Amino acid sequence: MKRIYLDHAATTPLDGRVFEKMSPYFMDVYGNANSQHSFGRDAQKAVDQARDQIARLIGAKPGEIYFTSGGTESDNWALKGVVKAHKNKGNHVIISKIEHAAMLSTARELEKDGVEVSYIDVDEQGFIDLDQLKKAIRPTTVLISCMYANNEIGTIEPIEEIVKIAKEHGILVHTDAVQAMGAIDVNVSALGVDLLSFSAHKFNGPKGIGALYIKNGIPMDRLISGGHQERTRRGGTTNVPGVVGFAEALRLTKENMQKDNEYVASLRDRFVQRVTAEIPFVKLNGARDMAKRLPSNADFSFEYIEGESILFSLDMDGIAVSSGSACSSGSLEPSHVLLAIGLSEEIAHGTIRFSFGKENTVEEVDYVVDTLKATIRRLREMSPLFNLKGEIKDV
Ligand code: PLP
C-alpha cells in the first residue's frame, strides 16, 4: 500500500544531503568537541562552523547560539532561565494561551514555585489579543513569550508588535519559532526578540538537536548543569553530527524557502479548496488570510465525528495525519488551542491537522481528498449525532 505522510508539523523526513553531511561525524570525526587533542579539535571545528552558519542564517552572532536537545529544552530554558535570573526585578511572566506544551507545562511548574503567569487569549483565528497583553503588563513582568507560529492551526503571530510593546516597558521577549523556522525567513535582529527557540527536525534536519538564541548580555540561569559546554551555559557533550546536520538543514531550507513555500502552499490550497467544496459541515481553523498561516497547514473540524476515528481510518488507508486531541499523550482531552479559539469540545474533538511537505504531490492531495470524502461519509453514516439531525444526504 502506498503511504502518504501529511504530518510535517510533527516532524519532517531527513534530507539526504543533510544525512551525507552528518555521516562522517558518527564514525570518522568522533572526538568529543571539548577534548583538547586533535580528535576533539576536529569535532570542535565542525561545531564552530555550524554555529557560525546558523547564526549568519538567522541574523545572530555566533556567540548568541546555544545548542540544545530541541525545541522543548529551548522553551524550558528560555522560561526558567529568565525567571530565575531576574528574581530581583520580579516574578511575573506573560504567555499566550496557545503555546506548545513545552511552554505551558513549564509555566505551570513555575506557578507552583510562586511565579505569577498571565495567559493571554487569542481570537477565533488564533491571533493573540494585543490589548489584553498590554493590560497584563506589570512592573514585575520579566518576560513575554508568544509562539511565532502555532503548531496546530498554523496562525502566524504578530511578533514585531509584541516586541514593540515589550520594549516600551523594558521587558524581554521570547518566541518559540519551532514551527516558523522552516516557513518564514526568520531574522532575530530584524524581529528584535531577545530569545528564540528552534529545532532541526521541523525542517528536514535530524531529531534531538535545536538551539536557543540568547541575545548578548541577557542574564540567564542554566537549565542543564554539568560541564563547561556552550560557554558554561549548558552542560552536556555536544551532539556533533546533530549540530552539523542542523546547520546544513537550515542552509538548505533558507536557500529554497520561497520556491518550497510556494509549492507546499499550492498543495495545501488545492486541498483546502477541494475539502471545503466537496465535504459538507467542515470548518477550516486558523487564519483566514492564508499569508498569515503556515504554508503547510490545513486544520479542519469535521462536524458529527470523532477526530480519532478519522485518524485511524485514514491510517488504515496509509495516510498519516494528526488529530486535535492529545491522543498521543494517552489523554483524549480536546486541544487547548482549539478551545482557545472558541471551538466547542464536540467540534474540537472532530478536528484533524493536515500538514504538507515538499515531497508531497498533487496526486497525493487528490488521493487524500477522495479517501477523506469516503471516510467522512462512512463515519457520519455510523454517527448517531449525524443521523439524529437527518442530514445524511449529499455527503
Ligand atoms: N514548540 C512547538 C511550537 C512545536 O511544534 C514543537 C514540536 O512539536 C516543540 C516546541 C518541541 O520541539 P522538539 O520536538 O524539538 O522538542
Side-chain angles (χ1 to χ4, degrees):
M1 181 175 58
K2 184 175 162 47
R3 296 201 301 162
I4 300 176
Y5 187 74
L6 293 185
D7 201 13
H8 292 81
T11 196
T12 55
L14 189 77
D15 189 306
R17 293 164 293 181
V18 172
F19 181 65
E20 255 174 52
K21 273 266 175 183
M22 292 170 72
S23 70
Y25 295 93
F26 288 103
M27 293 179 71
D28 301 334
V29 189
Y30 55 82
N32 183 324
N34 270 64
S35 296
Q36 287 167 318
H37 43 63
S38 68
F39 291 77
R41 283 197 299 278
D42 289 349
Q44 187 61 52
K45 194 171 157 207
V47 173
D48 289 345
Q49 278 172 355
R51 197 188 307 277
D52 287 356
Q53 181 165 311
I54 291 169
R56 193 165 10 89
L57 288 167
I58 68 161
K61 298 185 187 80
E64 296 174 321
I65 302 296
Y66 294 85
F67 291 118
T68 65
S69 62
T72 302
E73 184 189 326
S74 298
D75 284 350
N76 268 262
W77 188 13
L79 196 45
K80 289 185 175 165
V82 167
V83 165
K84 284 193 185 152
H86 291 78
K87 276 202 180 116
N88 294 343
K89 185 188 170 199
N91 70 339
H92 175 238
V93 298
I94 300 175
I95 69 175
S96 86
K97 275 194 182 165
I98 61 164
E99 294 303 304
H100 189 269
M103 289 299 296
L104 284 177
S105 56
T106 307
R108 300 227 166 88
E109 260 177 46
L110 287 173
E111 276 185 301
K112 286 191 197 132
D113 293 336
V115 175
E116 290 165 7
V117 184
S118 297
Y119 298 90
I120 306 301
D121 285 322
V122 295
D123 68 13
E124 78 288 354
Q125 297 183 63
F127 294 111
I128 190 163
D129 182 337
L130 292 172
D131 285 331
Q132 198 183 100
L133 178 114
K134 278 183 210 158
K135 287 187 193 126
I137 291 173
R138 307 176 190 167
T140 52
T141 309
V142 293
L143 182 73
I144 298 176
S145 180
C146 179
M147 65 203 324
Y148 203 156
N150 183 264
N151 46 304
E152 290 187 39
I153 55 174
T155 303
I156 297 170
E157 300 294 341
I159 301 299
E160 285 97 336
E161 287 177 55
I162 294 173
V163 169
K164 225 165 94 192
I165 296 166
K167 293 301 142 195
E168 281 166 15
H169 296 85
I171 299 168
L172 298 178
V173 179
H174 166 253
T175 189
D176 171 345
V178 170
Q179 291 289 335
M181 190 54 84
I184 298 170
D185 193 9
V186 175
N187 182 299
V188 289
S189 312
L191 262 187
V193 291
D194 302 289
L195 303 116
L196 180 140
S197 305
F198 54 126
S199 180
H201 75 101
K202 304 289 184 179
F203 46 87
N204 306 101
K207 295 169 185 44
I209 183 77
L212 181 64
Y213 157 79
I214 308 175
K215 194 192 249 170
N216 271 342
I218 306 279
M220 279 287 278
D221 272 21
R222 284 156 69 115
L223 178 73
I224 302 207
S225 300
H228 294 288
Q229 292 89 354
E230 299 300 298
R231 280 97 61 221
T232 74
R233 277 182 145 173
R234 194 259 187 194
T237 301
T238 308
N239 172 0
V240 181
V243 163
V244 169
F246 181 11
E248 179 66 355
L250 189 60
R251 186 184 73 77
L252 292 167
T253 298
K254 291 266 187 178
E255 202 172 272
N256 303 303
M257 190 166 272
Q258 197 183 342
K259 174 173 66 71
D260 287 346
N261 274 348
E262 278 169 17
Y263 175 68
V264 171
S266 75
L267 297 178
R268 188 271 318 272
D269 292 346
R270 181 184 181 94
F271 180 78
V272 167
Q273 193 269 326
R274 278 201 61 193
V275 169
T276 314
E278 298 175 34
I279 305 181
F281 310 112
V282 295
K283 178 185 182 307
L284 178 67
N285 300 309
R288 282 189 283 277
D289 176 355
M290 291 309 209
K292 292 189 175 158
R293 168 194 279 271
L294 290 175
S296 55
N297 176 283
D299 190 79
F300 274 110
S301 297
F302 299 90
E303 286 185 59
Y304 314 117
I305 18 183
E306 291 283 323
E308 263 63 42
S309 314
I310 306 172
L311 186 149
F312 292 129
S313 177
L314 291 179
D315 188 33
M316 295 223 287
D317 289 320
I319 300 165
V321 296
S322 164
S323 79
S325 308
C327 181
S328 54
S329 66
S331 113
L332 282 179
E333 286 294 300
S335 128
H336 65 284
V337 176
L338 300 176
L339 297 182
I341 61 172
L343 298 192
S344 67
E345 290 207 8
E346 194 187 315
I347 302 283
H349 270 306
T351 302
I352 293 287
R353 177 186 70 190
F354 304 84
S355 48
F356 297 83
K358 57 181 193 267
E359 82 282 4
N360 291 132
T361 62
V362 171
E363 291 70 37
E364 288 180 344
V365 169
D366 285 341
Y367 173 77
V368 172
V369 177
D370 294 340
T371 309
L372 184 64
K373 272 169 73 174
T375 304
I376 300 293
R377 185 187 167 86
R378 186 171 45 76
L379 292 172
R380 281 187 179 152
E381 275 170 2
M382 297 186 319
S383 160
L385 287 169
F386 195 71
N387 283 324
L388 280 177
K389 294 204 81 178
E391 282 163 329
I392 196 140
K393 292 167 287 231
D394 301 307
V395 185

